[in-house]
Amino acid sequence: MPAFNITRIHTPKGIFKLTGKTVADTGSTKLQVDTLDILGTDGWITLDIYACHTQTLIHLIEDDCLQHLQEKQ
């Protein structure tokens, strides 16, 4: 499980920074997110990764993050 650290990524859902690990799952790669921050008008806001809304958000930005990580390799 390689660790990752994305310091800034622009997605349709906002601008984020996140850390975690990539996990191989039945032929595809998934993210295990440890921290997730969103850029608000006053700076970075740390999100509760265990909250339902945040889990939905992680799912929505997962493809963008995986693409970003592949481009950095």
Side-chain angles (χ1 to χ4, degrees):
M1 286 190 272
F4 67 85
N5 179 19
I6 299 175
T7 56
R8 187 181 190 104
I9 183 169
H10 294 250
T11 75
K13 296 297 180 185
I15 301 170
F16 298 92
K17 66 179 180 177
L18 60 155
T19 63
K21 299 171 193 69
T22 55
V23 180
D25 181 36
T26 323
S28 65
T29 303
K30 299 288 183 186
L31 297 181
Q32 177 184 324
V33 177
D34 295 331
T35 64
L36 178 65
D37 294 24
I38 188 168
L39 186 59
T41 56
D42 293 329
W44 292 106
I45 302 164
T46 301
L47 301 176
D48 176 6
I49 61 168
Y50 301 106
C52 259
H53 178 74
T54 306
Q55 287 294 314
T56 300
L57 187 58
I58 290 169
H59 179 71
L60 291 172
I61 67 170
E62 186 171 33
D63 288 340
D64 293 318
C65 294
L66 288 169
Q67 181 178 352
H68 174 83
L69 291 171
Q70 287 176 351
E71 290 171 359
K72 295 293 179 183
Q73 289 182 353

